[in-house]
Amino acid sequence: MKRFGLFVVICGLFSAGLAEEPVKWKKHIVMEGGRCNTAVALDANGDKNLDVIAAFGGKVSLFLAPDWKREIILHRFFGGGGGCIHSEVIDVDGDGDEDWAGTLAHDHPFWLENPGKDAITKGAWIPRMIDSEITGIHCITKSDVNNDGTPDLIINNFEPEKGIGDSIAWFQIPKNPLKAKSWHRRVFADKTARGGSHYMGAGDIDGDGWKEIAVGAKGKPFADGNWFAFWKNPGAKGVASAWEKVLLADKQPGATNILPADVNGDGKVDWLASRGHGVGVLWFENPTWKLHEIDTEIQEPHSLTVADHDQDGDIDAASCGYGSKWVRWYENTGDGTFTIHTLDSDQESYDLRTVDMDGDGDEDLLNAGRGSANVAWYENPLK
C-alpha cells in the first residue's frame, strides 16, 4: 500500500512537471532579405487586420496582413540621408487612422500621412517634415507630455556636432499638420544628454500626474556616456522649458533602453532597462533607484518592451540580444524577480514591440531583425 502511494506521488510529480513545461511561442515571418532596424504594427487600410510598416533598404515598406504582401510607400527617405533607425505610429492629422513617423540616423525626422483605405495607392503616403534642425537621431517615441489629451513625439539628437546636439526634445503636433513646415519643438534635456543617448521611455515616476522621460547613453565612441538618467517633468508652468536631470546610475557600459513599469507591485513606477551595446537587462527600484539585475548573460539587448505577457496582473519584459541572438521573455513573479524564457536563439533585433498581432486578446511580440535581415512576430500561446 505504501509502495502504491509512493508510485502515485511520483506519477503526480511527473505529470505536474509535464504540465508546467512552457508552450513555445510560434514564430511567424513577415519578410526576409532586408536589414531592418525598425518595424511597427497598425491597421493601415481599415480592414481590422494589423499590418506592418518596416524601413529597410533605403525605403519604407508596408506589409499587408494576412499574406504580408509588400507595398513600397516611400521610395526614398525624406532628406535622403542615412538609414531609418526608429519609428512610431501616431494619428497626426486626427482623422482616426494611424500615421507613421520615422527618424533618420544622420538626417531629420519626418512623418507619412496614412491615406486609410487607399493605403496601397502609389504615392499616397505623403512625407512631411517634423523638424529640419534636429539631426543624428536614434529614437522616437510617443507620449502625452504636456497633458493636453493628444500624443506628442519625443526625439533625441545624440550626435554632439549636429543639429541640437546632446539634447532631447518633445514635439507638439501643430494645429494644421498638413501645411505646417515643422512641429513645435520643446527641448527639455538641453545639452544634458551627452554620451550617445538612445531609447527613451516616459512615465509618471513621482505620482504627480506628469510624465518623466528617461534615456540610456551608450558611451563609446561618444564621450561621457555609460549612464541611465531621467528628467523630472516640472508640470504645467515648466513643461516647455528645460527639466532637471536625475542620474539613476553611471558605469553602465552600453546603456540604451529604459521603460517605466511597476516591477515589484508596490504601486510605485520603476524603470526597467537594458544595456543594448553591452550586456544585461535590469531594473531600478523606486524611490532609491537600487539596481537589480534580471539577465546578466544576454549580449547587446538593443530592444526592450514591457507588458503583462502572461496576463497574471504583473509587468513582464522581453528583449532580443543582437550579440547572443536570443529573443527572451522575462516572466515576473510579481515581486520583481524573473524567470527567463528563451523564445528564439537565431534572431537579431534593434526594435521589439508588444502588440496583439492576431487579435486574440493576448500580447504578442513584433521584432525588426537587424542582422538577421527579417521582420518576425512571435505568437503568444496564452489564448
Side-chain angles (χ1 to χ4, degrees):
M1 186 69 179
K2 288 183 178 179
R3 289 182 178 178
F4 178 75
L6 180 61
F7 175 75
V8 171
V9 170
I10 291 173
C11 289
L13 290 173
F14 181 69
S15 299
L18 289 177
E20 291 173 3
E21 184 69 24
V23 180
K24 291 184 178 179
W25 293 49
K26 184 178 179 180
K27 183 178 182 178
H28 303 263
I29 300 297
V30 175
M31 79 87 177
E32 291 182 299
R35 187 181 174 90
C36 182
N37 286 332
T38 183
V40 292
L42 76 167
D43 180 6
N45 55 1
D47 66 355
K48 307 302 181 182
N49 293 317
L50 279 184
D51 312 301
V52 171
I53 294 182
F56 62 95
K59 300 175 176 61
V60 180
S61 296
L62 168 66
F63 295 87
L64 289 170
D67 57 0
W68 307 121
K69 179 183 178 182
R70 182 188 180 188
E71 300 286 345
I72 299 174
I73 57 177
L74 188 66
H75 285 265
R76 177 180 170 83
F77 287 135
F78 198 99
C84 196
I85 198 73
H86 211 228
S87 61
E88 187 59 89
V89 292
I90 179 173
D91 184 5
V92 176
D93 50 12
D95 62 356
D97 56 37
E98 298 281 7
D99 305 300
W100 182 90
T103 56
L104 296 169
H106 303 292
D107 218 297
H108 314 298
F110 65 101
W111 69 282
L112 301 178
E113 179 190 352
N114 184 352
K117 64 180 181 179
D118 299 319
I120 61 173
T121 302
K122 186 176 180 180
W125 290 74
I126 301 172
R128 294 180 173 86
M129 185 70 71
I130 293 174
D131 188 285
S132 60
E133 184 176 356
I134 191 169
T135 309
I137 300 158
H138 217 79
C139 183
I140 182 171
T141 190
K142 69 179 177 184
S143 182
D144 183 3
V145 178
N146 61 345
N147 286 352
D148 68 350
T150 59
D152 309 296
L153 290 178
I154 306 166
I155 307 174
N156 68 342
N157 194 134
F158 82 138
E159 293 192 15
E161 305 303 324
K162 295 182 178 180
I164 59 171
D166 292 329
S167 298
I168 310 175
W170 63 274
F171 292 82
Q172 189 174 5
I173 299 173
K175 290 183 178 181
N176 191 340
L178 301 182
K179 294 184 178 180
K181 293 182 179 180
S182 63
W183 292 24
H184 304 297
R185 185 205 313 149
R186 322 289 190 190
V187 180
F188 68 89
D190 191 2
K191 303 296 189 296
T192 56
R194 181 176 173 83
S197 65
H198 261 53
Y199 293 92
M200 290 89 63
D204 182 8
I205 301 306
D206 52 13
D208 67 352
W210 296 84
K211 295 185 182 71
E212 280 65 53
I213 300 173
V215 76
K218 73 170 186 174
K220 188 179 180 179
F222 299 96
D224 304 324
N226 301 323
W227 50 259
F228 290 103
F230 70 88
W231 282 258
K232 181 174 171 50
N233 192 327
K237 293 183 179 180
V239 69
S241 59
W243 302 1
E244 175 190 357
K245 180 181 179 179
V246 179
L247 183 68
L248 290 167
D250 56 8
K251 300 179 182 178
Q252 300 293 310
T256 51
N257 308 62
I258 185 163
L259 294 170
D262 180 2
V263 177
N264 57 355
D266 65 354
K268 300 182 181 69
V269 179
D270 313 294
W271 293 110
L272 203 150
S274 69
R275 305 182 189 97
H277 283 276
V279 178
V281 175
L282 58 145
W283 69 281
F284 296 99
E285 184 176 355
N286 188 348
T288 63
W289 307 123
K290 179 181 178 181
L291 190 157
H292 302 266
E293 300 283 357
I294 297 173
D295 186 344
T296 59
E297 297 179 323
I298 190 168
Q299 299 173 21
E300 294 151 327
H302 202 278
S303 59
L304 183 69
T305 182
V306 296
D308 184 4
H309 290 105
D310 54 3
Q311 296 185 353
D312 65 351
D314 52 41
I315 297 297
D316 311 300
S319 183
C320 179
Y322 70 82
S324 56
K325 297 187 178 182
W326 295 330
V327 178
R328 282 187 161 179
W329 167 56
Y330 303 100
E331 181 184 0
N332 192 346
T333 62
D335 61 0
T337 57
F338 292 81
T339 300
I340 299 173
H341 303 278
T342 301
L343 307 184
D344 197 343
S345 57
D346 189 26
Q347 180 71 40
E348 294 190 25
S349 175
Y350 250 42
D351 191 7
L352 183 68
R353 309 289 178 112
T354 296
V355 59
D356 184 3
M357 290 294 295
D358 50 8
D360 66 353
D362 56 29
E363 300 288 5
D364 308 303
L365 294 171
L366 175 66
N367 187 78
R370 175 184 173 268
S372 47
N374 64 2
V375 173
W377 72 275
Y378 295 83
E379 183 180 349
N380 192 330
L382 190 61
K383 295 292 185 181

